[in-house]
Amino acid sequence: MARPRSLVSPLLSGVFCQCDTVGGAPHTHDTPASPSLAAALAADPCGGLVCGGPEHETRLQILFQELDVNKDGGICINDLAVGLKRLGVHRTELELRKIVKAGDKDQDGQLDFEEFVHYLRDHEKKLRLVFKSLDKKNDGRIDAQEIMQSLRDLGVNISEQQAEKILKRIRTGHRWGPVTHMDKNGTMTIDWNEWRDYHLLHPAENIPEIILYWKHSTIFDVGENLLVPDEFTVEEKQTGMWWRHLVAGGGAGAVSRTCTAPLDRLKVLMQVHASRSNNMSMLGGFTQMIREGGIRSLWRGNGINVIKIAPESAIKFMAYEQMKRIIGSDQETLGIHERLVAGSLAGVIAQSSIYPMEVLKTRMALRKTGQYQGMLDCGKKILLKEGVSAFYKGYVPNMLGIIPYAGIDLAVYETLKNAWLQRYATSSADPGVFVLLACGTISSTCGQLASYPLALVRTRMQAEASVEGAPQMTMSKLFKHIVKTEGAFGLYRGLAPNFMKVIPAVSISYVVYENLKLTLGVQSR
């Protein structure tokens, strides 16, 4: 039986290498290519983006010139709409905007040739990962059963008959178009070339497979819950897996924070009490805590620190989902800039809701033996002595710290993730435990380093009333005072114990998270 037609114009499908397929023979077409493209293919029949043949740039130049309708050296949204329509490819205006936005590195509203090539390279890499993840039988084809599973992963349950109908009508634009594909045995399938040809120049940002494997804010807890929330697939939301992930993450955070609580309390003491005249070392700080209150005193403030995990995580998740709707994205997942905006706003809402607990945590960590009978007694005495406003001291630097922490963590993590996917992801988006832990640790450390001065100022403002003789200062005055009396180094007091707890905190939270996932019945691929 003759090979099926390509889903798109041969000019598009001819861009990529035809010999490096995901199983199966090279893809051919019964529709003649344009003369210029035919000449390029004749000169280099297997060249293209994948195998790096010598004529692949000629091939891309031809496609670029076809899409550059007004011949100004750049492909804008209008060019893309007209050019793709001429080639028989239909995309909605929203999809066209996403394509240009994804590749437009210099933000000039159009794709030059270099940006166009970079977009196609990156896009085909993602498509290959998706195809391999859906090809359960590893035979280079997706059949009806695999279509059913792939749609189920996206939250759509269909019958085998419906899956066969979908395979008969391959999508063109935003509706289903009339193109049929049959293999030699008459079974409805889609091979790699057909999959790639359809999705070429079709926006696809955060594919479900990558979302599943690269969660990190849910898994890693380093004591500061300021990370941008993780994305969840449609399937995870509809099956209730999202709350199981959050519960597992909360339980992991509780164990992790309890195990590293002595280092966290030492950090708070050094932030508040250490100075040039009182150069507190880590050993000296531990000795002082044990001498004053015994071994149990090392865990002061840990109770409230664990309790606040649940409300903060729940509020942040709900706020993040609402922010996504307000931003107006019709995608299930957001781009990195939208994630930063939505995540930062969700963080502000969550932190505002539980901020009095942050103040209580600091006061409980700094308390002396017998000063308070417990959390409720501490809150009651603060309210009677200092008023409601005491529960929001340090609020401004805390909110300001969310942006550098979340922004740098997200940027570093996405950079490391994309670098790994580009270089090492050949058959799966699964990075493995070591890579995931390393990327999460590095990104969280960078985020903490950037926001640490604001965190220190926040802690000192929270502790002002509990420190005898401490002046009551605004955020800006406190910054100036610290720099003037202690130098820039004074803004990083307590940084050593803070960084010392990162690796054990991440490791413990990951191990506990994985075990809790199994207990809660979270499905892993």
Side-chain angles (χ1 to χ4, degrees), residues 405-463:
Y405 189 109
I408 291 176
D409 172 81
L410 183 62
V412 172
Y413 191 76
E414 289 293 316
T415 300
L416 294 173
K417 180 183 81 175
N418 290 331
W420 186 89
L421 287 171
Q422 288 293 326
R423 181 165 297 188
Y424 301 109
T426 55
S427 61
S428 173
D430 185 1
V433 175
F434 178 77
V435 173
L436 191 65
L437 291 177
C439 291
T441 301
I442 293 170
S443 63
S444 295
T445 300
C446 291
Q448 287 189 63
L449 187 63
S451 64
Y452 194 82
L454 286 164
L456 181 138
V457 169
R458 173 203 67 194
T459 303
R460 287 205 179 181
M461 292 180 73
Q462 290 172 341

Side-chain angles (χ1 to χ4, degrees), residues 225 227 229 242 246 307-325 342-357 392:
N225 195 3
L227 303 180
W242 66 270
L246 291 181
I307 290 172
K308 70 184 179 72
I309 293 175
E312 184 174 12
S313 298
I315 293 169
K316 182 188 284 188
F317 175 76
M318 291 186 289
Y320 183 64
E321 292 300 311
Q322 289 300 318
M323 288 301 114
K324 286 169 64 174
R325 293 188 181 93
S344 296
L345 291 173
V348 168
I349 293 170
Q351 283 284 300
S352 299
S353 302
I354 59 95
Y355 193 75
M357 300 176 80
Y392 284 90

